[in-house]
Amino acid sequence: MLTMLGSIRHRGPDQFGVYQDGEATLGSARLSIIDLENGRQPLTNEDGSLWLVFNGEIFNYVELRPDLESRGHTFRTNTDTEVLLHLFEEYGPECLHRLNGQFAFAIWNSRSQRLFAGRDRLGIRPFFYVETPHGLLFASEAKALLTQPEVTRELDLVSLDQVFTYWSPLRGRSAFSGVLELPPGHLLTHSSGQITTRQYWDLSFPEEAVTKEQVAPTEQYVDEFTDLLCDATRLRLRADVPVAAYLSGGLDSSLTTSIVRSRFSNSLATFSIAFDDPQFDESGFQQHMSQVLGTRHEVVRTTHADIGRVFPQVVWHTEVPLTRTAPAPMFLLSQLVHDSGFKVALTGEGADEFLAGYDIFKEAAIRRFCARQSNSRLRPELFRRIYGDISNLGTVNPAFLSAFFQTGSRDEDSLYFSHLVRWRNTARTRRFLSQEIRHATDGPGVLPRFPAQAPRWGRLQRAQYLEASLFLSQYLLSSQGDRVGMAHSVESRLPFLDYRVVEFCNALPTRLKLRGLRDKFLLRQMGRKFLPPEVWNRPKRPYRAPIYRSFFSPAPDYVHELLSPRSILTAGYFDGQAVTLLVGKAAEGAGLSETDEMALVGILSTQLLHHQFVTHSPYASPVSKNLDDVRIISAPKTRAAAGYAGRSEIIALGDIK
Amino acid sequence: MTIERQIRDYITRNVLFTDGGIEYDDDGSLLAEGILDSMAILELVTWAQKTFGITIEIRDITPENFDSIARLASFIRSKAPGAERYVSAAGSALDEAAA
């Protein structure tokens, strides 16, 4: 357990705690944020029967506590951790529905010998587990599990194939064989050697007929949304340490930052990423917003070389093949936040999914229009309007763009219509996978799962479901969120992902989200109250980071080594000839297409994963009882370990609080 | 070497990343078959300009001119009637330089 904790000490370097009895071992690495003196974990209840390890925050713990006190629960701390424990004691698994937060936790009942675990609705906090012949292992990061000898260290080929189509493994999978992810909105129980999981929450939308109509004036929706978002932000300022904010220069983070400044705080530190490469740089907007809002602003200026330099560390933390480099600057940003003395930062993540800010929603609408109005002369110009700022796409003749997107029009009746072009384009990178992998997996033939009621939703709502359940939950919140933040012990908090905000947005009429090609309509209306017009009216610019120049101008040593024919052959995931041709093309500086760049990052990150986790053991120095703040609680053995002679039935690991 | 052959070789090595050739005829749709995406078109334009010494305007980048090997070859010939000779001459010059 001390080795497991050592492997994730970056997530919680302040205190370590271990509980062990004859059946279970629980461990915690704590990043102390609330009740710094008394929040030590694992935490137990009044009679010592329940033990909790908890990663994350229950933001509404202040509101939940009086009810529990009135029911006779006594509190020894002012933490949300203790509220969670008593809430479970009182309501059992149903407690999950009362939580407003970002969390992954496990509660061991030493009397009934049952373990209960839960993960937040959208998957902001991670939870991985492995079932072994000796019982259940779980942890916040897969690397903690991979330190254990009973866990096989090999990449999951199906997950790898899925990354090369969907940009991430599908729900429930990790990059490693046998290591499973407890999906967002799920709970897990382990009892008598049996593991069961169940979904307790999912994204839901009204039927299409409902979202087609707007029954109240727009201003009424704006007022209600403003109240909700302000309250979501207020809850996310609860901490006994200072809270900072990320400021990207776009509408979403500008709005949450503005709410903090205008409603709750006279002083706020903001942080942002600037790029030396002007194609990606937003620093002008960031500086402007910082001046408008009067924040103390700091910037991490990022070069191509910086991205190439830290990329191996980024992959170590994300633990999954990546198809983009965007997590690397986020990793550098959290380092700056940490070095500036902060543990918590607000971000604007989530608005693009739930208020329809992404181009993919507009693209789907245009493709549908084109399929139905095949003779319209507007068709090419519509595509150019949404893709004009990507690379050199704006210089392509509009007729060709139209023809390109038309290739998916025959799919108009598919529930997956909105995402088929993206997936087909990305799946072109599968040509780099080895023949063995392509033949051994179902590849893109496996589709993400929709809930049964999805056929009755509107088209935009189905697209939102896919974007939120795949891109947001499986990639953005982990590889560009939790993992790169926690790499430097920085917790991000996301007001737009308060479940009340999400459910409110999902119930909105479609035209308050996407009105023609005007995205995030309601948010822009709200933005009028808080922001200058040049911000609330600004077209969205996607956050992107440079790719091939980060690895080939000049190439860091590890790039040469890991992409060499020998390394590719030894690892066995990719077609050596194809990779050699791609590397040659990149090294010539001829410029790579979007697809080529995705393939390049995907191959390089997979090779890094192989090197870091398969070839080598992800061994970490154990937490030291002499050097670290460690408390170990040993309880008397309560029952024979049935069927697992000499071994604990459960080895459990939590972290953070 | 015919223009068709050169286009095929270019696409094979730089878009499909293989030396194994591609399994469709010169009239097959590069878009519908998923051979080219809109980004790869730009690469193809740059390559064609350099290789055949022609200038391609944005208005020229249409499916009619680029959506098959045969169409692109025909377009290149219309832009530069001596394209094959240009490439042969350039190839000879390179061979001489290499020697």
Side-chain angles (χ1 to χ4, degrees):
Chain A
M1 175 55 73
L2 295 178
T3 301
M4 293 174 78
L5 288 176
S7 74
I8 59 163
R9 68 165 66 228
H10 51 276
R11 297 186 67 91
D14 297 331
Q15 286 176 335
F16 302 90
V18 176
Y19 163 85
Q20 56 191 5
D21 62 26
E23 303 290 320
T25 306
L26 304 175
S28 165
R30 184 185 183 217
L31 181 67
S32 46
I33 291 173
I34 293 175
D35 195 351
L36 308 185
E37 296 300 313
N38 300 307
R40 194 181 272 273
Q41 294 186 36
L43 188 75
T44 191
N45 59 344
E46 295 93 331
D47 65 5
S49 59
L50 300 179
W51 288 88
L52 168 68
V53 284
F54 169 36
N55 168 199
E57 307 289 343
I58 308 300
F59 295 117
N60 62 336
Y61 72 105
V62 176
E63 289 75 13
L64 292 170
R65 183 164 164 155
D67 166 62
L68 295 168
E69 286 174 327
S70 72
R71 293 170 186 271
H73 294 275
T74 56
F75 286 80
R76 291 164 291 171
T77 74
N78 292 315
T79 62
D80 52 341
T81 311
E82 195 173 12
V83 169
L84 173 60
L85 186 63
H86 291 305
L87 198 72
F88 176 76
E89 223 178 349
E90 188 64 35
Y91 298 105
E94 291 306 304
C95 74
L96 288 164
H97 295 284
R98 296 169 184 255
L99 302 178
N100 185 348
Q102 48 192 49
F103 52 82
F105 67 87
I107 296 175
W108 168 244
N109 187 325
S110 62
R111 285 198 188 130
S112 66
Q113 307 282 308
R114 286 167 62 93
L115 183 98
F116 174 79
R119 190 173 178 209
D120 65 63
R121 294 170 177 85
L122 290 160
I124 299 170
R125 291 285 167 255
F127 188 107
F128 294 98
Y129 66 100
V130 176
E131 190 172 9
T132 77
H134 308 300
L136 171 72
L137 287 161
F138 69 89
S140 294
E141 296 187 11
K143 60 178 68 67
L145 304 172
L146 297 170
T147 62
Q148 300 303 294
E150 60 264 60
V151 180
T152 307
R153 292 184 286 110
E154 61 184 25
L155 297 190
D156 185 312
L157 302 185
V158 173
S159 294
L160 179 60
D161 201 338
Q162 289 176 351
V163 170
F164 279 72
T165 296
Y166 300 118
W167 301 354
S168 68
L170 294 182
R171 281 188 161 198
R173 308 190 78 98
S174 80
F176 303 99
S177 295
V179 178
L180 302 176
E181 170 214 46
L182 180 63
H186 277 64
L187 58 85
L188 174 150
T189 55
H190 181 262
S191 179
S192 304
Q194 294 294 313
I195 297 171
T196 56
T197 62
R198 177 168 67 83
Q199 187 170 31
Y200 71 88
W201 188 89
D202 196 5
L203 291 167
S204 182
F205 298 88
E207 295 196 2
E208 185 172 15
V210 177
T211 50
K212 270 187 172 174
E213 302 297 327
Q214 181 177 333
V215 295
T218 299
E219 193 53 37
Q220 190 172 321
Y221 290 101
V222 172
D223 289 345
E224 199 174 335
F225 184 67
T226 303
D227 289 345
L228 260 179
L229 190 62
C230 288
D231 195 56
T233 306
R234 177 182 68 85
L235 293 187
R236 280 156 185 77
L237 292 172
R238 285 178 170 166
D240 293 327
V241 295
V243 177
Y246 288 170
L247 194 58
S248 71
L251 171 63
D252 311 343
S253 62
S254 295
L255 195 50
T256 49
T257 302
S258 177
I259 289 172
V260 175
R261 283 290 286 124
S262 62
R263 303 272 174 109
F264 305 116
S265 174
N266 291 324
S267 171
L268 182 67
T270 49
F271 294 85
S272 64
I273 300 164
F275 290 99
D276 272 6
D277 188 335
Q279 185 186 346
F280 302 94
D281 189 51
E282 296 263 281
S283 57
F285 288 100
Q286 295 158 358
Q287 293 292 349
H288 176 60
M289 269 318 297
S290 169
Q291 285 164 6
V292 167
L293 297 172
T295 66
R296 289 175 287 115
H297 192 61
E298 292 194 54
V299 176
V300 58
R301 182 159 286 283
T302 308
T303 65
H304 297 130
D306 290 332
I307 293 172
R309 176 175 52 81
V310 301
F311 194 67
Q313 294 173 69
V314 170
V315 172
W316 166 262
H317 285 285
T318 59
E319 301 180 324
V320 71
L322 301 169
T323 54
R324 55 189 65 205
T325 52
M330 299 296 292
F331 174 86
L332 292 166
L333 180 64
S334 74
Q335 186 171 37
L336 174 65
V337 172
H338 173 83
D339 292 347
S340 303
F342 290 92
K343 293 178 174 180
V344 180
L346 295 183
T347 86
E349 220 67 82
D352 286 323
E353 287 78 5
F354 297 110
L355 287 160
Y358 286 128
D359 283 342
I360 196 167
F361 302 127
K362 287 178 259 184
E363 177 202 300
I366 293 171
R367 284 169 50 224
R368 202 175 298 278
F369 171 84
C370 291
R372 292 174 179 176
Q373 309 283 330
S374 57
N375 295 321
S376 171
R377 288 189 298 176
L378 282 175
R379 292 165 45 184
E381 194 49 42
L382 289 171
F383 283 115
R384 182 133 88 173
R385 277 179 61 181
I386 61 169
Y387 287 110
D389 64 342
I390 297 181
S391 187
N392 295 316
L393 195 57
T395 62
V396 178
N397 187 302
F400 216 124
L401 275 185
S402 178
F404 171 63
F405 287 110
Q406 268 294 96
T407 59
S409 63
R410 63 181 181 273
D411 309 307
E412 200 191 343
D413 294 333
S414 167
L415 291 179
Y416 300 95
F417 176 80
S418 58
H419 283 63
L420 289 177
V421 168
R422 174 195 285 179
W423 294 341
R424 284 178 181 143
N425 284 343
T426 307
R428 292 157 55 82
T429 61
R430 294 183 72 243
R431 65 170 64 108
F432 291 96
L433 295 172
S434 67
Q435 290 277 353
E436 295 73 25
I437 291 182
R438 275 185 283 165
H439 289 151
T441 66
D442 288 334
V446 177
L447 285 165
R449 289 171 64 180
F450 267 121
Q453 63 271 30
R456 297 192 292 278
W457 297 344
R459 296 181 177 90
L460 173 66
Q461 286 72 14
R462 285 199 293 267
Q464 287 185 281
Y465 183 88
L466 290 177
E467 196 64 357
S469 60
L470 269 179
F471 182 64
L472 178 71
S473 287
Q474 299 303 113
Y475 167 76
L476 211 54
L477 292 178
S478 54
S479 294
Q480 273 181 227
D482 174 86
R483 303 314 193 76
V484 285
M486 282 300 168
H488 296 112
S489 312
V490 173
E491 175 183 275
S492 53
R493 296 182 175 185
L494 311 94
F496 284 106
L497 296 190
D498 183 309
Y499 80 96
R500 299 168 304 166
V501 174
V502 170
E503 291 181 349
F504 175 85
C505 291
N506 288 356
L508 284 172
T510 298
R511 65 193 309 270
L512 289 180
K513 295 189 256 193
L514 193 59
R515 182 167 294 197
L517 293 185
R518 191 72 173 140
D519 57 51
K520 294 191 284 198
F521 183 82
L522 185 76
L523 198 67
R524 292 182 192 281
Q525 298 306 306
M526 178 186 166
R528 288 169 181 260
K529 296 181 179 181
F530 291 87
L531 301 168
E534 65 272 21
V535 176
W536 66 256
N537 204 24
R538 186 184 167 211
K540 176 177 173 56
R541 188 168 172 194
Y543 164 63
R544 301 159 67 86
I547 297 184
Y548 97 90
R549 285 196 185 88
S550 302
F551 301 120
F552 284 95
S553 59
D557 289 344
Y558 72 87
V559 173
H560 285 304
E561 170 57 28
L562 293 176
L563 296 183
S564 71
R566 183 177 52 84
S567 293
I568 294 292
L569 182 68
T570 304
Y573 306 113
F574 299 105
D575 181 304
Q577 182 188 57
V579 174
T580 299
L581 287 168
L582 176 65
V583 170
K585 188 176 175 182
E588 282 172 12
L592 299 182
S593 73
E594 195 91 350
T595 315
D596 294 344
E597 289 203 317
M598 280 196 289
L600 178 68
V601 184
I603 294 163
L604 186 58
S605 55
T606 303
Q607 292 289 102
L608 280 164
L609 277 180
H610 179 80
H611 179 76
Q612 293 171 338
F613 293 99
V614 178
T615 309
H616 297 89
S617 170
Y619 178 78
S621 59
V623 168
S624 164
K625 282 180 263 187
N626 299 322
L627 300 177
D628 296 303
D629 185 359
V630 182
R631 182 183 65 174
I632 297 179
I633 302 164
S634 295
K637 191 170 182 177
T638 53
R639 192 187 70 162
Y644 305 115
R647 290 298 304 264
S648 295
E649 187 178 359
I650 298 169
I651 302 169
L653 175 70
D655 65 33
I656 320 263
K657 267 314 305 163
Chain B
M1 190 188 295
T2 65
I3 294 177
E4 284 82 354
R5 174 68 187 276
Q6 290 178 75
I7 296 170
R8 181 178 289 269
D9 283 354
Y10 175 80
I11 291 174
T12 302
R13 290 180 63 85
N14 289 278
V15 179
L16 299 178
F17 299 100
T18 174
D19 280 339
I22 39 180
E23 298 167 4
Y24 61 92
D25 61 36
D26 286 353
D27 294 318
S29 168
L30 297 170
L31 279 173
E33 295 297 324
I35 305 295
L36 291 185
D37 61 16
S38 48
M39 308 297 171
I41 296 293
L42 289 174
E43 291 180 56
L44 198 55
V45 168
T46 306
W47 170 78
Q49 290 188 131
K50 278 167 56 179
T51 306
F52 300 105
I54 58 177
T55 300
I56 300 175
E57 307 290 342
I58 289 177
R59 65 173 177 273
D60 295 329
I61 309 173
T62 63
E64 289 72 28
N65 292 335
F66 274 75
D67 195 26
S68 71
I69 290 175
R71 285 181 180 195
L72 181 54
S74 169
F75 169 71
I76 290 169
R77 286 193 182 97
S78 74
K79 280 284 198 178
E84 266 115 335
R85 288 196 302 279
Y86 177 88
V87 171
S88 297
S92 301
L94 286 173
D95 289 344
E96 285 172 21

